Amino acid sequence: MSAKTYPVLKSAKNRTLMDNDTYQKWYRESVENPERFWDKHGMRIDWFKPYTKVKNTSFTGKVPIKWYEDGITNVSYNCIDRHLKAHGDDVAIIWEGDNPYIDKKITYNELYEHVCRMANVMKKHGVKKGDRVTIYMPMIPEAAYAMLACSRIGAVHSVVFGGFSPDALAGRIVDCESTFVITCDEGVRGGKPIPLKENTDTAIDIAAKNHVIVNKVLVVRRTGGKIGWAPGRDIWHHQEVLTVPRDCPPAKMKAEDPLFILYTSGSTGKPKGVLHTTGGYLVYASMTHKYVFDYQDGDVYWCTADVGWVTGHSYIVYGPLANRATTLMFEGIPNFPDAGRFWEVVDKHKVNIFYTAPTAIRALMGAGDEFVKRSSRSSVRLLGSVGEPINPEAWEWYYNVVGEGRSPIVDTWWQTETGAALITPLPGATDLKPGSATRPFFGVQPQLVDNEGKVLEGVADGNLCIIDSWPGQARTVYGDHKRFVETYFSTYKGKYFTGDGCRRDEDGYYWITGRVDDVLNISGHRLGTAEIESALVSHHLVSEAAVVGYPHSLKGQGIYCYVSLMAGEEGTEALRQDLVKHVRREIGPIATPDKIQFAPGLPKTRSGKIMRRILRKIAEDDFGSLGDTSTLADPGVVDDLIANRQNKA
Ligand code: WTA
């Protein structure tokens, strides 16, 4: 990895919110006296009733995590109402359609009305505080309205990425027993329609078989395409909003009342419903948004994520709007109509802060510099990266070609569970090293441990833990607190274990090396190998499957599947295609297998455990160093696996 250091860069305005001395001072206070630090910064949001208790957290026992517990507030009030008096006509959301000729701007005043009306529609149809509402939407402003409307009335939203299949959507509806769904007729991406309503209909049927009955589906009209309609259950958004008042008082929410559930993959079992709460989450999301992105009044800020992921929650909707930012929502994809789209949009809307994922950067780098160079990008003063480790080559390209050496890159490391960024440079304060997420944000105490849990000091390579709570941390797994404690706090007692490997260098900088568990990171999307395996074995010809990741030049990691078939079945090309289709249907296109190897046997220990280490090596075409295979029940299977590997150099 490159150790080249880039100096602190000032913004184009030649003024940043942070400098290194202030960072050091604040960081020291934040870990030496977290109570005082977070007491002060908790006041960055408005409280109907201010808190008197700040931090009440423990990483042992039942792992109770409470921040600002006696404070009363409301997230949508903080993201909208409090800005209206002086800034109601400022632009809250710039929406850029998939079609480059379509866009619109929504002011804070307009946002207020849209959100209140949608909240009133939900109330009219019986949604109450604490109810779970599933949002299955494309990247249109109504997705943000829906989230904010939930928070306005105290309903708990569960946003499901529009690229997930009906099966995946159904699983998420059932898990949190959500009886109200918000969707749209069709999404549009890259000029192609996505049948969201049709998928929703299918998902609702599957959910009903699992005893969860969806009563109402609020349908936003996006394309006007033909869709099925269940009278009495389905209601049109554009009709309903006209039947309700334009004001809706914000519900008084306790700081620890749930705000949202977001399903994410782990190493075992079904995706977990990670639960975030109200007060601490908003304090932390908005504070990181301000300092990590150096957000200053009037800046146009663009995060290219989808609201279906945590990045979209914290850094398209909640963080920016709480800071009264102008946040850009993009419906499309980076290469439609061509690979210059991002930079065209940057010029069109004079974007100052641009935040995207390494997988997009690598793809655009591959398309060639001409696409970048035909734009000016002169408005840009800060670039960001998130989702997976950024390889130094992509970092350099992003910095030099896109940023023309003018804009710092904030490589932000975080997770669905952390709510917002934990390890990241701060513009104006942090020297950059390509590929390193650099230093912890305020209040964050990283620690590296070896596999036995021994704490590693100084320069080291180990498993990344965080040893004390921060306000944006997830509080539980919805409906399964035991799983929360077991997954995150039992591997290393008393510490939050991230599942990531990490190196700390001589300057105390952190370099995330990727997951050390059975979670894959495909184009910045988290997928559990267990989920893909269970999709594969649900195919009637498959008897067993094991899935591993391998390095992929564009996606970061690719999906490599070893599949054993039912006795007498033959692994044909047609079956391979069918399995690919099957997995896409079960989970969604993001889980599309890259390689499928038919394997008569999988390498197992005598106790029947699949030795993934061996499968990973073979998938990486690195079978010279398989290590000890003598403990295998049948060492012979390895030769066949090697001979038939799909990644031959
Ligand atoms: C990976 C996304 C290296 C990491 C916000 C983490 C990163 C997982 C970075 C969480 C980064 C995210 N550098 N790796 N800057 N950001 N990751 O929950 O493995 O979708 O555990 O949250 O992505 O993915 P999630």
Side-chain angles (χ1 to χ4, degrees):
M1 274 186 233
S2 165
K4 191 164 165 188
T5 303
Y6 291 76
V8 172
L9 287 179
K10 297 291 176 195
S11 67
K13 293 173 184 164
N14 207 21
R15 168 171 71 81
T16 46
L17 299 170
M18 215 17 87
D19 58 64
N20 192 39
D21 289 344
T22 313
Y23 168 77
Q24 300 286 0
K25 194 166 134 241
W26 286 26
Y27 184 76
R28 218 174 304 120
E29 185 192 343
S30 74
V31 296
E32 283 168 7
N33 197 339
E35 288 272 343
R36 191 169 70 201
F37 183 85
W38 289 114
D39 188 5
K40 207 160 45 196
H41 291 285
M43 291 312 291
R44 58 177 296 103
I45 67 168
D46 285 7
W47 298 85
F48 301 144
K49 175 177 165 286
Y51 47 85
T52 62
K53 294 185 200 150
V54 175
K55 180 175 188 284
N56 182 4
T57 68
S58 166
F59 283 2
T60 57
K62 295 213 162 91
V63 191
I65 299 168
K66 295 192 187 109
W67 285 89
Y68 310 114
E69 58 188 294
D70 61 345
I72 307 264
T73 184
N74 180 283
V75 167
S76 104
Y77 177 88
N78 271 287
C79 291
I80 309 171
D81 305 41
R82 65 171 175 156
H83 309 320
L84 297 182
K85 196 151 168 248
H87 295 276
D89 290 326
D90 290 3
V91 174
I93 298 174
I94 298 175
W95 179 70
E96 168 77 13
D98 183 63
N99 176 332
Y101 296 104
I102 300 178
D103 59 20
K104 64 179 163 191
K105 296 194 165 93
I106 296 110
T107 65
Y108 276 96
N109 279 328
E110 290 164 342
L111 182 63
Y112 171 86
E113 178 166 347
H114 287 302
V115 169
C116 285
R117 285 190 191 273
M118 202 186 265
N120 282 329
V121 169
M122 290 166 61
K123 277 214 263 201
K124 173 179 158 189
H125 290 283
V127 179
K128 293 193 189 59
K129 196 172 186 169
D131 288 354
R132 279 80 55 215
V133 171
T134 298
I135 300 176
Y136 183 61
M137 289 278 263
M139 285 292 289
I140 56 177
E142 287 80 1
Y145 306 162
M147 293 163 74
L148 290 161
C150 287
S151 76
R152 195 156 191 94
I153 61 173
V156 184
H157 61 70
S158 159
V159 182
V160 178
F161 174 56
F164 276 124
S165 68
D167 270 293
L169 174 60
R172 286 155 172 80
I173 288 174
V174 169
D175 184 80
C176 67
E177 299 176 313
S178 167
T179 59
F180 194 97
V181 177
I182 306 177
T183 188
C184 107
D185 51 0
E186 296 173 310
V188 190
R189 267 163 75 83
K192 295 194 203 86
I194 319 236
L196 294 177
K197 174 62 164 62
E198 190 185 318
N199 289 352
T200 303
D201 292 343
T202 311
I204 288 174
D205 291 344
I206 301 170
K209 291 195 190 107
N210 292 282
H211 315 293
V212 173
I213 309 295
V214 171
N215 302 320
K216 289 285 171 217
V217 182
L218 181 61
V219 187
V220 174
R221 191 166 64 188
R222 165 67 187 89
T223 64
K226 209 164 159 275
I227 53 171
W229 200 258
R233 185 196 73 186
D234 298 347
I235 47 181
W236 276 116
H237 169 257
H238 63 277
Q239 291 174 352
E240 286 293 319
V241 288
L242 301 177
T243 68
V244 293
R246 78 176 290 280
D247 296 296
C248 171
K252 296 199 164 38
M253 304 302 290
K254 295 195 202 110
E256 286 300 338
D257 280 339
L259 176 64
F260 66 83
I261 299 166
L262 191 53
Y263 286 87
T264 193
S265 300
S267 21
T268 54
K270 290 186 304 174
K272 292 184 283 283
V274 169
L275 183 100
H276 283 282
T277 56
T278 299
Y281 170 80
L282 194 64
V283 167
Y284 195 75
S286 67
M287 182 165 174
T288 51
H289 174 261
K290 175 166 173 176
Y291 291 107
V292 173
F293 299 105
D294 191 45
Y295 189 85
Q296 304 186 31
D297 278 357
D299 283 338
V300 175
Y301 161 91
W302 180 15
C303 165
T304 69
D306 190 285
V307 289
W309 311 112
V310 73
T311 310
H313 284 59
S314 303
Y315 293 130
I316 294 178
V317 179
Y318 292 124
L321 294 176
N323 290 336
R324 201 185 359 102
T326 299
T327 181
L328 195 150
M329 272 181 95
F330 177 44
E331 185 183 36
I333 53 176
N335 55 359
F336 177 82
D338 65 31
R341 185 70 191 278
F342 274 179
W343 325 122
E344 240 165 60
V345 175
V346 162
D347 279 1
K348 179 179 178 188
H349 297 294
K350 307 265 177 313
V351 171
N352 306 109
I353 302 162
F354 178 77
Y355 187 32
T356 195
T359 188
I361 298 167
R362 285 191 298 266
L364 297 177
M365 180 167 85
D369 296 2
E370 319 78 78
F371 289 107
V372 186
K373 297 218 163 110
R374 70 181 194 211
S375 67
S376 119
R377 285 156 287 110
S378 58
S379 55
V380 173
R381 64 176 171 81
L382 183 68
L383 300 170
S385 171
V386 63
E388 50 175 321
I390 178 165
N391 46 314
E393 194 195 3
W395 194 102
E396 298 269 356
W397 184 81
Y398 196 29
Y399 184 82
N400 290 310
V401 179
V402 176
E404 294 173 355
R406 276 183 288 112
S407 306
I409 296 176
V410 288
D411 175 2
T412 63
W413 173 83
W414 58 295
Q415 310 178 295
T416 305
E417 296 86 342
T418 71
L422 292 199
I423 302 183
T424 172
L426 298 182
T430 314
D431 285 333
L432 307 173
K433 299 187 195 186
S436 171
T438 76
R439 304 186 296 195
F441 192 76
F442 307 119
V444 175
Q445 300 185 57
Q447 193 175 69
L448 301 182
V449 299
D450 69 11
N451 289 342
E452 279 65 53
K454 193 174 126 244
V455 176
L456 306 171
E457 308 284 355
V459 175
D461 208 330
N463 302 310
L464 178 62
C465 296
I466 313 288
I467 59 168
D468 197 3
S469 183
W470 61 98
Q473 178 171 28
R475 305 299 197 253
T476 192
V477 168
Y478 184 78
D480 197 350
H481 192 66
K482 199 161 149 255
R483 191 169 176 206
F484 179 71
V485 176
E486 265 161 23
T487 308
Y488 304 109
F489 300 92
S490 70
T491 317
Y492 305 109
K493 273 256 152 337
K495 299 169 198 198
Y496 169 74
F497 176 44
T498 64
D500 278 320
C502 183
R503 185 165 68 82
R504 186 171 45 223
D505 73 12
E506 56 290 350
D507 295 317
Y509 274 37
Y510 291 88
W511 302 72
I512 308 298
T513 50
R515 301 289 303 199
V516 292
D517 53 10
D518 290 321
V519 172
L520 305 181
N521 192 322
I522 313 298
S523 301
H525 301 150
R526 254 168 92 164
L527 281 171
T529 51
E531 279 169 78
I532 306 169
E533 286 162 6
S534 91
L536 285 165
V537 297
S538 73
H539 188 282
H540 66 288
L541 297 181
V542 174
S543 72
E544 199 170 25
V547 172
V548 297
Y550 69 95
H552 187 286
S553 61
L554 282 183
K555 307 207 270 185
Q557 270 189 310
I559 302 176
Y560 195 114
C561 311
Y562 296 89
V563 173
S564 299
L565 299 174
M566 297 294 184
E569 295 299 333
E570 205 191 323
T572 60
E573 195 46 42
L575 179 54
R576 192 175 266 134
Q577 298 300 326
D578 196 41
L579 290 176
V580 168
K581 260 199 252 145
H582 182 73
V583 173
R584 288 170 62 97
R585 201 162 47 228
E586 290 280 309
I587 304 175
I590 55 171
T592 307
D594 294 283
K595 307 277 176 190
I596 294 181
Q597 174 169 355
F598 294 111
L602 296 173
K604 290 185 190 159
T605 60
R606 276 184 272 271
S607 60
K609 198 169 166 272
I610 294 176
M611 289 186 81
R612 293 169 174 282
R613 178 178 53 82
I614 292 175
L615 294 176
R616 268 186 223 115
K617 288 279 182 196
I618 296 172
E620 286 166 18
D621 197 22
D622 176 23
F623 50 88
S625 55
L626 285 185
D628 185 12
T629 56
S630 63
T631 54
L632 288 178
D634 175 9
V637 300
V638 172
D639 294 336
D640 175 85
L641 290 171
I642 292 175
N644 293 306
R645 70 193 187 280
Q646 302 288 303
N647 265 339
K648 287 186 192 130

